[in-house]
Structures are given as structure tokens and as C-alpha cells.
């Protein structure tokens, strides 16, 4: 045990949050780790006071000071705040890596018991559809921007490989939908393939995300570390929790360059709040990840062993586990009872799970030292030109009426290449159909593939807007180093 004292921000949160947080804090204190807890508020009560972020300034200041947070679940009350306080915390402190281990636990029977499931989902935590950039293009068509950056991808992928190295794991699987979203998920895949070459001792494989879901259900023990984009990760990490006993047993850590936040995967489970019945294991396991992160590996090992002994012996099973095993719920342990039992088991070792010691034992990820491939001089060397523009127009018309009209507006430096509806080319007609949703994309390009100066686009927009006031947005068509930075329409 380290002899230095740690300052940690503890956020009890909403619903069952205070009960599970109290349990984890009691166990850490009982294990003898010197922690000065800074108790801070976030969530429902904060929203009710009219703070629309759900995270008051005192809490932010505490996190700035301590840089480590143990957090109960936060409710997002409908009608008070617009954004989730959880997402606000992640974004405020740039915790880019969401790490969710899913490991078979003794005494927690599942369909996969005995198969040795022991995997970690490493989910990019800030980008993708969670950028939250959404617009209604028409009263009836919504659109969200899926933002994937090379830097964000590199950061999370390097993190996954570093974690594999640190934990002595042999394989990292990238899970993407690069076959469909070639420029966003594809960028993630290409970055993965590049970075994998720096870790030759670790097997690197890429699987399409839907196949990963299938393989997880069929044979989860084949996976070691799965690294993936935000939405994919959100879905498969809940799936992975289900493989090893459910939400009561699913821990997570959100790691950033400066701040890390540890929380259970589950929410505030309001119907169980204040009854002393909730299973605190998920937050206790999260707090073990936290202890490893702050350099308290011995205490983390002792607590982990005590939890495993408690589960293995099954004498203090909480309601959720008793229900899963078909036992008598009236005999279930309370949250406090479970916590007392774990504390009583400190110093004991489990007997039915393989002992993992020293470096073989998961010890929490190190902060990777990223080396961005795209340094300023690399950016400067990339050749670029803009060869056209997509103009999106809301209009109650038909493709056959709109196409010729747009051809007439194209001007001397541009030509209308096509009109599409929901990504399918509908002019010139290919015979492929797409239901008319009153939103059309008109693609204008340079007939000679030349770079088109902005004044040409502005003049085009001026002509289009004069006749079609329903134009709603534009996208430039870039070519970087000879590679088109845009996709073709279906049928093009
Ligand atoms: P939830 O709070 O996770 O609870 C859903 C159900 O899962 C519970 O009713 C309970 O099932 C089971 N469960 C959850 N935690 C458990 C535990 N520790 N032990 C045993 N069983 C557990 O999901 P929700 O009801 O959808 O969400 C409630 C609120 O939490 C929402 O406001 C949501 O926004 C918020 N939330 C916050 C976070 C976070 O802070 N990170 C995450 C997710 C959701 P039974 O009913 O079968 O007993």
C-alpha cells in the first residue's frame, strides 16, 4: 500500500447512487487506503435548482483539483436539463477512453459459465454520433453528424494496444462498420491497421461490428480487447455486461489525459433507491480499477480477492443474484450486508478462479503517450483541391423536374453530376427508386476535375437560392492527396 494520501472526488449521484458509493468508499477505507474524499454533487438535484449542466462549479473545481472521480449514477430528469450530466462530465474533462471489462465471476452463473470470458471493451467516448450535432433539414427530415477524427481514433486505438501490452493480453479486435461508412468508420479502421504495426507482438484483427455482436453471443471467450467507435461501443459493452451476469456486475472507467472517472455501467435504478437492496458490486469493481489507476495495486488486489471470495461463497448474495439463481429473495443480503461481508473477507484469496498475480493481473491502463501521425508539417504536405459542391434543397418536386432546372443553374465552371434522395441517385434515372422525402441533394462538379474557387460556389448558391429558397445546407467535395473525400451515391 502506498503511504501517500490520495484526494478523490466522490459523487454519490441519484437513486441507488448514494448506497453503492457508500459501499465502495467503506471498502476502500477498510482496506487502509489513505483517501481524502471530496464529496461533490451532480445530477437530478442540481438540475432541479436550475443548473442546466447538472454539474455545479464546485464539483468541477473539485475534479480539477483531484483529477480522479468515483461516481454514482446520475439521472437526467426530463424537463429540467437538455443534456445528460454524465455526457457533460465526459466532455468537460475529455475522458476519451471508456473501458469496460467483462470477466466471468465465480458464483455468478451465466449461459457462458466455465468458458473463461475475460474481455475488455475499449470505447471511444467523445466523438461519433455523440458529438450531438443534429439539425432538422426539413420539418420531417432530421440529420446528425457522425464525427470521427484521425486524432480521436489514434488516441483510443493506441490506448487499447497499450492496455493489451500492460495486461499481457494477446489480441486486439477493431470493430467497425467500415464496409458501409467508408470515410468515418473506414478512417477508424485504417488508423487501426497503421497503429497495429507498432505492436507486432499483439495480434490485430478487424471485424465488422454486426459480426462482433454475433460472435460475442456465440463464443465470447475468443475476444481479448475490442476497440471501437462510440455508438458501436455503447451497444456491445452492454451486450458484454450481459454475458457475465448483468448490470449489477458491470464496472467502467472513463480515462482522459488529465482526469479519470470511475462508475458502474448501470443507472440510478430508482425503484430500488433507499431500500438497501441494490447490488454494489459494479461500483466496487469500478473502484478497483480506480485504485489501480492511482497506483494502489496491492489494495486493489486485496479488494478484488475479497469480492471474488464473497461471490464464490455465495453467503451474501444480493437480490438480483438470488433471483438469477432461483433462490429465496427473502434470504438475500442487503447492500450493507454484502459490503460488510466483503470487508470481512479482506485478506482472503478466492479458490475457484485462477490466481493472477503481479504483471499478469489486469492492473489498469497506463496513460498512453500518443504520437500523432498528423503533425503540422504532415498536414501541410497533403495536396488538396475542391472539385465540387453538394447543395441540399427542400422542395415539393420530382427528380425529373429538379434535375434539368439545376443543370440550367450550374453555370460555366460547374456541371450537375446527379441528384440523389436519401443517398440514392434519382437523376439521371438509373431505375433505382427512393421514396420522396422532399429533400434532394444536387451534386455540382468541375467538368475537368479542377479546383473550384469559392466565388464560383457563392455565385451558384446565389442563383439556386433565387429560385429555390428551400436550400438547406451545402458540403464541399474535397480531394486529399488524390483521394476523394466524399462518397458516391447509391447507383452512381
Ligand atoms: P438502470 O438504472 O440501470 O436500471 C435498470 C434495471 O437494471 C433496474 O431496475 C434493475 O433491474 C437493474 N439494475 C441496475 N443496477 C443494478 C444493480 N446495481 N444491481 C442489481 N440490479 C440492477 O436503468 P434505467 O432505469 O434505464 O435508468 C434510470 C436512470 O439512470 C435514468 O435517468 C438514466 O438516464 C440514468 N442512467 C445513468 C447512468 C450513469 O450515470 N452512468 C447510466 C445509465 C442510466 P430490476 O428492475 O430487474 O431489479
Amino acid at each position: 500500500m502506498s503511504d501517500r494520501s490520495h484526494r478523490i472526488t466522490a459523487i454519490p449521484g441519484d437513486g441507488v447512487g448514494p448506497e453503492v458509493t457508500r459501499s465502495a468508499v467503506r471498502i476502500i477505507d477498510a482496506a487502509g487506503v489513505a483517501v481524502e474524499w471530496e464529496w461533490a454533487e451532480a445530477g437530478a438535484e442540481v438540475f432541479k435548482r436550475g443548473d442546466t449542466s447538472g454539474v455545479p462549479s464546485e464539483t468541477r473545481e473539485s475534479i480539477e483539483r483531484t483529477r480522479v472521480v468515483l461516481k454514482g449514477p446520475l439521472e437526467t430528469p426530463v424537463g429540467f436539463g437538455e443534456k445528460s450530466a454524465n455526457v457533460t462530465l465526459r466532455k468537460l474533462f475529455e475522458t476519451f477512453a471508456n473501458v469496460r471489462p467483462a470477466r466471468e465471476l465465480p458464483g455468478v452463473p451465466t449461459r457462458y459459465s466455465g468458458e473463461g470470458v475475460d474481455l475488455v471493451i475499449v470505447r471511444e467516448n467523445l466523438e461519433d454520433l455523440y458529438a450531438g450535432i443534429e439539425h432538422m433539414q426539413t420539418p420531417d427530415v432530421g440529420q446528425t453528424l457522425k464525427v470521427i477524427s484521425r486524432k480521436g481514433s489514434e488516441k483510443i486505438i493506441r490506448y487499447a494496444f497499450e492496455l493489451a501490452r500492460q495486461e499481457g493480453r494477446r489480441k486486439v479486435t477493431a470493430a467497425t462498420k467500415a464496409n458501409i461508412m467508408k470515410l468515418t468508420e473506414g478512417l477508424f479502421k485504417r488508423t487501426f491497421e497503421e497503429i497495429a504495426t507498432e505492436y507486432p507482438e499483439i495480434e490485430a484483427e478487424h471485424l465488422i461490428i454486426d459480426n462482433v455482436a454475433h460472435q460475442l453471443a456465440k463464443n465470447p471467450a475468443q475476444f481479448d480487447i475490442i476497440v471501437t467507435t462510440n455508438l458501436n461501443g455503447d451497444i456491445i459493452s452492454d451486450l458484454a455486461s450481459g454475458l457475465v451476469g448483468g448490470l449489477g456486475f458491470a464496472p467502467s472507467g472513463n480515462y482522459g489525459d488529465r482526469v479519470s472517472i470511475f462508475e458502474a455501467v448501470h443507472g440510478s435504478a430508482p425503484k430500488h433507491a433507499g431500500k438497501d437492496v441494490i447490488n454494489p458490486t459494479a461500483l466496487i469493481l469500478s473502484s478497483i480499477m480506480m485504485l489501480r489507476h492511482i497506483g494502489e495495486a496491492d489494495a486493489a488486489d486485496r479488494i478484488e480477492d475479497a469480492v471474488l471470495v464473497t461471490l464464490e461463497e455465495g453467503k451474501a448474495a444480493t437480490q438480483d443474484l438470488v433471483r438469477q439463481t432461483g433462490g429465496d429473495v427473502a434470504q438475500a443480503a442487503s447492500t450493507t450486508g454484502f459490503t460488510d461481508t466483503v470487508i470481512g473477507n479482506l485478506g482472503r484469496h478466492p479458490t475457484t478462479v485462477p490466481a493472477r498475480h503481479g504483471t499478469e493481473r489486469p492492473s489498469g491502463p497506463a496513460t498512453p503517450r500518443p504520437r500523432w501521425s498528423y503533425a503540422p508539417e504532415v498536414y501541410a504536405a497533403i495536396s488538396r483541391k475542391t472539385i465540387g459542391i453538394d447543395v441540399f434543397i427542400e422542395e415539393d418536386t420530382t427528380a425529373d423536374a429538379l434535375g434539368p432546372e439545376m443543370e440550367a443553374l450550374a453555370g460555366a465552371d460547374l456541371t450537375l453530376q446527379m441528384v440523389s434522395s436519401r443517398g440514392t441517385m434519382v437523376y439521371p434515372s438509373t431505375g433505382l427508386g427512393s421514396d420522396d422525402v422532399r429533400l434532394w441533394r444536387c451534386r455540382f462538379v468541375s467538368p475537368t476535375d479542377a479546383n473550384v474557387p469559392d466565388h464560383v460556389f457563392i455565385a451558384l448558391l446565389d442563383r439556386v437560392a433565387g429560385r429555390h429558397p428551400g436550400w438547406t445546407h451545402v458540403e464541399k467535395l474535397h480531394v486529399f492527396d488524390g483521394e476523394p473525400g466524399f462518397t458516391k451515391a447509391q447507383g452512381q
Side-chain angles (χ1 to χ4, degrees), residues 400-417:
D400 287 338
L402 190 63
E405 255 191 84
M406 287 294 146
E407 274 165 352
L409 292 174
D413 299 310
L414 293 167
T415 179
L416 179 82
Q417 191 178 55

Side-chain angles (χ1 to χ4, degrees), residues 16 20 71-77 84 86 90 246-249 252 263-272 277-283 318-321 323:
V16 298
V20 292
K71 176 188 149 300
L74 306 180
E75 198 183 300
T76 307
S84 141
N86 290 306
R90 281 175 208 162
L247 287 173
F249 300 94
S252 82
E263 61 183 334
V265 169
H266 64 76
S268 58
K271 75 177 189 195
H272 298 304
V277 295
I278 201 75
N279 181 356
T281 306
L283 194 67
T318 45
Q319 272 189 11
D320 55 322
L321 187 51
R323 248 186 245 119

Side-chain angles (χ1 to χ4, degrees), residues 161 170-176 189 192-193 196 202-208 211-212 215 222-227:
F161 277 104
R170 58 187 170 79
K171 184 165 81 171
V172 177
T173 306
T176 77
K189 175 175 182 273
F192 175 78
E193 285 159 355
I202 297 165
E203 184 188 340
E205 71 172 356
H206 171 263
L207 295 179
I208 298 294
N211 187 25
V212 170
Q215 296 292 337
Q222 71 182 288
F223 292 107
D224 226 353
I225 288 187
I226 301 175
V227 62

Side-chain angles (χ1 to χ4, degrees), residues 201-397:
E201 79 281 16
I202 297 165
E203 184 188 340
E205 71 172 356
H206 171 263
L207 295 179
I208 298 294
I209 184 66
D210 29 337
N211 187 25
V212 170
H214 169 232
Q215 296 292 337
L216 273 171
K218 215 171 75 168
N219 176 20
Q222 71 182 288
F223 292 107
D224 226 353
I225 288 187
I226 301 175
V227 62
T228 188
T229 50
N230 207 338
L231 181 62
N232 292 338
D234 191 9
I235 298 165
I236 61 163
S237 51
D238 268 29
L239 194 166
S241 307
L243 303 174
V244 291
L247 287 173
F249 300 94
S252 82
N254 299 283
Y255 298 85
D257 290 330
R258 291 183 314 114
V259 168
S260 298
I261 302 173
F262 299 86
E263 61 183 334
V265 169
H266 64 76
S268 58
K271 75 177 189 195
H272 298 304
K275 297 182 183 157
D276 199 23
V277 295
I278 201 75
N279 181 356
T281 306
L283 194 67
I284 300 170
L285 295 177
S286 311
S287 73
I288 293 169
M289 294 170 75
M290 179 184 78
L291 291 174
R292 292 194 170 118
H293 176 70
I294 63 172
E296 292 286 354
D298 288 347
D301 290 354
R302 288 181 68 221
I303 297 174
E304 185 173 77
D305 280 353
V307 171
L308 294 175
V309 169
T310 307
L311 294 173
E312 189 175 70
E313 293 184 343
K315 293 181 197 151
T318 45
Q319 272 189 11
D320 55 322
L321 187 51
V322 171
R323 248 186 245 119
Q324 276 178 43
T325 51
D328 178 4
V329 174
Q331 303 297 316
S334 64
T335 311
T336 312
F338 180 88
T339 309
D340 291 340
T341 308
V342 172
I343 292 172
N345 284 333
L346 284 168
R348 296 182 61 201
H349 301 286
T351 54
T352 60
V353 283
R356 297 197 289 182
H357 296 292
T359 53
E360 279 169 45
R361 189 167 193 149
S363 55
T367 303
R369 298 274 168 261
R371 291 198 323 262
W372 313 125
S373 315
Y374 274 20
E377 59 278 13
V378 180
Y379 268 113
I382 296 170
S383 79
R384 58 187 75 205
K385 61 181 179 175
T386 307
I387 59 139
I389 194 164
D390 281 347
V391 182
F392 291 73
I393 298 173
E394 180 196 0
E395 190 148 312
D396 191 7
T397 183

